Amino acid sequence: MLSKYHWWRDAVIYQVYVRSFLDSTGDGVGDLAGVRAGLPYLKKLGVDGIWLSPFYPSPQHDHGYDVADYCGVDPLFGDLAEFDLLVSAARRLGVKVLLDIVPNHCSSEHPWFREALAAEPGSPARARFHFADGRGPDGAEPPNNWHAMFGGPAWSRAGDGQWYLHMFTPEQPDWNWRDPEVPAEFDRVLRFWLDRGVDGFRIDVAAGLYKHPELPDSDDPEADARTRDSVNPLAWNQPEVHEVWRRWRALCEEYTARDGRDRLLVGEVSVPTAREHALYVRPDELHQAFFFDLLGAPWDADSFRKVISEAMQDIAGTGSTVTWVLNNHDQVRTVTRYGEPATEGSGLGAARARAAALLMLALPGAAYIYQGEELGLPEVVDLPDDVLTDPIFRRTGSRARIRDGCRVPLPWSGQASPFGFTSGAEGAKPWLPQPEYFADYATDRALADTRSFWHLYRDGLQLRRTLPQLGEGTLRWLDSPPGVLSFARGDGLVCAVNFGTAPTPAPASGTPLLSSGPCPPGVLPGATAAWWLADL
């Protein structure tokens, strides 16, 4: 008999950026054995599952998001036997495992793309990708004016004069999902990993698989590529993409029907409005899609209320639950984004990040936590140019949108780099350098300090598990003074956030059940969130 409870609807998932989590081999790069060793830490934190960044065989031009083999493990991270051990260990601890699947593009070293380059124009091998003749004399100009997300044109020329499309980098050619071989191949890939026991998939670029069939010019190509949230509508959010998610949902339901165990599809869906977002989580499509509007909202009570209300109305209205995020591997770390201009982790940015975490965990639906957020890590902003690895920097020469600063390996213990991240010989260096001040954020210190970010997250997750008011459900807004956001969950749980810097009267009496900072009875200090049990 199938269970009526769907674990994913209110789950809290921890994003593991594998190469920066924990290194078991001493080469300075995190790996699957390191993730397995860190599972007890994550279980103690209280998360329901983990999402693993790509670990497939790859030339690592975009740190694994350029996949050369979708059904293997890059030796940099281990092998399939180690992956199986990780899944088994996670299952014993009751921790779900999600894989990052990359269906929009592959690596230029993928066997099918190599075959395409060697094939003739118009061949079946080239039909799996977007090859086209160029414009202008001798076809020397790209087929259209599209720009790549990571800078430069979206087309590169093959040796025989045709051009191929890549919406990110030339090393990441886009699949042509209109060719029937492509969806069939991804069916095979999903089954390969589902047969190995995974609990679902995080889907990269979930709105971008289909391109306009005529590949016309864009009206504003530079705007299309300016940010990841301002995307080319001719290459994004095409209506045919929904057929892919119906196909994948049916495949997952087939596995669930066998054993009653839900498999989850959660999409990276970057679309302009919550209403368009909601189309991806209809009952026969993705189970969930990341709601990025909360992450992008300025630190302002009215802005937060607006995006939360829109999500609850448009997304939860489909029967799905909202999937809240404050950070991921592509974004500036929350402490820095909320007000820290440099490397310090104390002060206003940290206070706001703590308050935002408590707010997110009180909202109805699911939540995703990026590794290191539970330590209050700030963005590493002073990495020298010669260590930067982000293809955005290589393509543009600009540091404006680079992501290395949020991907610096985690500090686990000690007073100096590598802070327990790598088990290599003395002098072993992490793949990105860790600043000296990471000593203040090391996991061993965080666990020993009950005032740390880690304890705030752990306590919030424990209450979320035990209080029936939290998790899936609805919220009701409460009257609040300017600059304060207050809402009720279920029968008597109140969450309030003071977005200002001056204290304000608390919306509930008594000592808070949990607060992001010191919070005396009757008062809600500035940049503070708190939960109360109250008679409403």
Side-chain angles (χ1 to χ4, degrees), residues 304-352:
F304 269 62
R305 178 165 178 158
K306 179 177 183 293
V307 299
I308 292 168
S309 295
E310 289 177 350
M312 294 302 299
Q313 173 181 314
D314 294 328
I315 299 171
T318 67
S320 181
T321 53
V322 185
T323 305
W324 308 100
V325 291
L326 287 172
N327 203 262
N328 61 37
H329 64 292
D330 289 328
Q331 304 294 331
V332 173
R333 284 204 176 271
T334 312
V335 165
T336 302
R337 198 173 72 244
Y338 283 153
E340 291 299 329
T343 59
E344 297 300 322
S346 59
L348 190 59
R352 289 173 171 176

Side-chain angles (χ1 to χ4, degrees), residues 16-36 53-55 60 73-78 371 407 409-410 412 421-423 429-432:
V16 175
Y17 194 71
V18 175
R19 65 187 298 121
S20 296
F21 185 71
L22 186 60
D23 169 26
S24 72
T25 62
D27 64 357
V29 178
D31 46 51
L32 294 179
V35 178
R36 181 160 59 97
S53 63
F55 51 78
Q60 302 294 319
V73 175
D74 195 298
L76 186 67
F77 303 116
Q371 69 179 36
R407 300 175 176 184
L410 295 184
W412 290 87
F421 165 73
T422 178
S423 59
K429 294 182 178 180
W431 70 277
L432 279 175

Side-chain angles (χ1 to χ4, degrees), residues 244-260:
V244 178
W245 310 136
R246 293 186 182 101
R247 180 173 179 146
W248 286 23
R249 179 67 174 259
L251 192 154
C252 286
E253 297 296 343
E254 174 191 324
Y255 278 78
T256 298
R258 295 177 188 175
D259 57 15

Side-chain angles (χ1 to χ4, degrees), residues 126 131-144 155-164:
R126 288 204 171 180
F131 278 84
D133 294 329
R135 301 191 293 192
D138 301 321
E141 298 295 327
N144 65 30
W155 295 89
S156 288
R157 203 171 192 187
D160 60 7
Q162 275 205 316
W163 297 74
Y164 69 89

Side-chain angles (χ1 to χ4, degrees), residues 15 34 61 82 110 141 176 186 242 267 269 276 278 282 295 313 331 345 360 371 374 401 449 486 517-518 528:
Q15 181 190 353
H61 290 293
E82 180 55 53
H110 190 286
E141 298 295 327
N176 177 15
F186 275 92
H242 296 282
V269 175
E276 290 172 281
R282 289 176 287 192
L295 184 159
Q313 173 181 314
Q331 304 294 331
M360 179 178 71
Q371 69 179 36
E374 82 284 6
R401 294 167 52 202
D449 182 1
S486 301
T528 299

